[in-house]
Amino acid sequence: MNSEIIQRIAHTLASEEQGWTPSLLPSSGAIDCFIDIIRQIVFLPTCEEVVAATLIVQGIQQLVDLINSDGRKEKDAMAIAHRFAGQLPELRQLLRSDVEAIVDRDPAAKSLSEVASCYPGATAMLHYRVAHALSGMGLPLLARIISERAHSLTGIDIHPSATIGASFAIDHGTGIVIGATARIGHHVMLYQGVTLGAKRFEHDDSGRLVDGPRHPIVEDYVTIYSNTSVLGRIRIGHHSVLGGNLWITHDVAPNSHVRQPKPIQHVGFIDGEGI
């Protein structure tokens, strides 16, 4: 390919007619580096103050670099990074409660360190809680990039605008989807394949989608088993249990147990037929 053709392609790519605002999006490596620093801060023994201080400084600088890639001024980026650092004690408390909740409810989990290091639910919540904090500081794009990094790594899709209380446990987790306006209380547990989604989308007079509350409210101490879809702005009452493979589009009263109306009967297979 000669230089003239390359120049013509480069001119097309750089043209303002593409309609994109110039912005250098952070790489997945930069996101991973920042999250790894926060992981160390969150799960570091509290007695190691000198190490913690060093990690906080590193985390602030990493975050400043990420914010700058979104086109923010250095002064503004530093101010946001310091605000985020001020929330680290709260983030640590929440994330440790998530890890403890998994250990308490999963007999296969042998230690806090195992869950924090290996469990996809812990990884997804680490990314979510960081992204949720940054979204609240006016960085929705960076928040989405962080949450989608977790989606790629774990198969768990949590929108950073969702609200999730303490001691949130995810078992296995693959295929979990939590929408932007979902509200989840404390001590909630979700199994793989659960969807907290929208039933329908409202439109304004011009036909554009309305960004209003459209995802479920899940109260405290609720357990939802695998592959159940809870759709629309409905409320699942506290201390309820939703069985697997359900389609829930109505409110559920507190202390309810919802399951398949009829048990699935085993019919057997002959010579592989029906498989």
Side-chain angles (χ1 to χ4, degrees):
M1 186 177 291
N2 61 44
S3 59
E4 182 179 349
I5 295 175
I6 292 174
Q7 187 65 34
R8 186 164 63 250
I9 295 172
H11 176 75
T12 301
L13 292 174
S15 173
E16 291 185 358
E17 293 180 357
Q18 298 294 323
W20 290 89
T21 302
S23 178
L24 180 61
L25 299 180
S27 66
S28 59
I31 296 295
D32 290 346
C33 183
F34 172 62
I35 291 296
D36 184 62
I37 291 172
I38 302 304
R39 185 193 300 273
Q40 293 181 65
I41 293 172
V42 165
F43 300 116
L44 189 74
T46 55
C47 59
E48 299 183 20
E49 295 183 11
V50 174
V51 177
T54 301
L55 288 170
I56 291 169
V57 171
Q58 294 175 358
I60 288 174
Q61 186 55 58
Q62 285 284 339
L63 182 53
V64 167
D65 292 342
L66 292 173
I67 297 172
N68 282 340
S69 69
D70 196 22
R72 301 298 181 100
K73 296 180 180 179
E74 181 77 18
K75 182 179 179 180
D76 295 337
M78 186 62 72
I80 294 173
H82 278 92
R83 282 179 57 200
F84 176 81
Q87 292 190 15
L88 284 173
E90 180 182 359
L91 282 173
R92 182 177 67 175
Q93 184 177 7
L94 285 169
L95 285 162
R96 288 188 174 187
S97 78
D98 298 332
V99 170
E100 290 166 356
I102 294 174
V103 171
D104 290 342
R105 303 189 68 170
D106 184 358
K110 302 306 181 184
S111 68
L112 296 171
S113 295
E114 178 189 7
V115 172
S117 302
C118 305
Y119 274 50
T123 296
M125 288 307 294
L126 173 61
H127 284 73
Y128 157 74
R129 294 209 185 275
V130 169
H132 183 73
L134 293 174
S135 179
M137 296 176 186
L139 296 170
L141 176 57
L142 179 57
R144 283 304 302 272
I145 293 172
I146 291 173
S147 65
E148 287 304 316
R149 181 58 179 156
H151 189 187
S152 298
L153 292 170
T154 67
I156 299 169
D157 183 2
I158 307 176
H159 195 285
S161 294
T163 302
I164 302 177
S167 300
F168 181 66
I170 292 175
D171 194 352
H172 299 291
T174 304
I176 283 177
V177 177
I178 300 176
T181 63
R183 289 170 51 194
I184 301 174
H186 306 302
H187 304 283
V188 171
M189 185 168 188
L190 304 184
Y191 286 79
Q192 66 272 14
V194 168
T195 295
L196 303 181
K199 183 179 179 182
R200 63 173 60 90
F201 298 104
E202 301 293 336
H203 295 77
D204 61 20
D205 294 338
S206 63
R208 294 183 178 181
L209 291 174
V210 177
D211 187 16
R214 59 193 179 276
H215 300 103
I217 298 171
V218 179
E219 296 183 352
D220 300 345
Y221 294 97
V222 169
T223 297
I224 306 177
Y225 283 94
S226 58
N227 300 314
T228 284
S229 294
V230 185
L231 306 178
R233 193 59 165 185
I234 61 175
R235 183 180 294 270
I236 308 301
H238 59 83
H239 294 86
S240 290
V241 177
L242 306 185
N245 301 300
L246 297 175
W247 183 270
I248 307 293
T249 58
H250 53 80
D251 289 346
V252 173
N255 301 294
S256 296
H257 284 69
V258 184
R259 64 188 70 181
Q260 292 281 354
K262 294 182 180 180
I264 299 174
Q265 297 182 353
H266 174 66
V267 296
F269 301 102
I270 300 175
D271 296 329
E273 293 180 355
I275 297 178

